[in-house]
Amino acid sequence: MSEKKTMSRRNFLGIAWGGSIALVFGQAAVALLKFIEPVSAGGFGGSIYAGKVEEFAINSINRILAGRFFISRTEDGIIAMWQKCTHLGCAVPWVEEEGQFHCPCHGSLYNEVGEVTGGPAPRPLDTFPVTIKSGEVWVDTSQPTERSGFDPSQLTDA
Ligand code: FES
């Protein structure tokens, strides 16, 4: 009789323990999915309105916080680059005084079109497709593109 009670208690504790572990992993899985899941239009992972073309001066870099990317406008066009460092993923700021992107984590350096000029980064900043409609700059953040270098074909006419 008492053995049966011990087994029941053991079973109960086993179920409670298993349920707790399942709950923890379930919450972690939901958090991970929310992190990597593309967001609908208007947020990172979707199509982002960056601004009017004329708001981006030639030879300027503008950060678009909602999209986690930078718009770089050169004399030849516009390129959108993900802020994520290609070394280990830190957010890379544009440092105006230096005239370059300078990763605070391990010192990778990128020029105005995202080419690596120093540090451990293995490749240029990833890009997002840019579309200009009626003078408005839209960036599709659903699919970053890796590249091995910069080519003028990566620029969108503006
Ligand atoms: S994460 Fe940017 S240099 Fe390491």
Side-chain angles (χ1 to χ4, degrees), residues 14-102:
I15 290 169
W17 180 243
S20 299
I21 290 175
L23 187 64
V24 167
F25 278 103
Q27 288 177 329
V30 168
L32 179 65
L33 285 175
K34 281 189 174 182
F35 180 73
I36 61 174
E37 177 187 5
V39 180
S40 59
F44 181 72
S47 186
I48 308 273
Y49 171 62
K52 296 261 186 204
V53 171
E54 60 265 24
E55 293 171 21
F56 302 105
I58 292 174
N59 295 324
S60 72
I61 307 285
N62 288 273
R63 187 177 187 191
I64 309 298
L65 278 175
R68 305 179 196 171
F69 62 81
F70 289 90
I71 293 284
S72 174
R73 184 171 184 191
T74 73
E75 292 179 355
D76 300 317
I78 285 178
I79 187 169
M81 296 172 287
W82 196 2
Q83 67 180 15
K84 184 179 172 185
C85 184
T86 59
H87 179 224
L88 293 177
C90 290
V92 184
W94 171 257
V95 181
E96 193 64 48
E97 308 78 52
E98 299 177 17
Q100 63 185 349
F101 294 97
H102 190 155

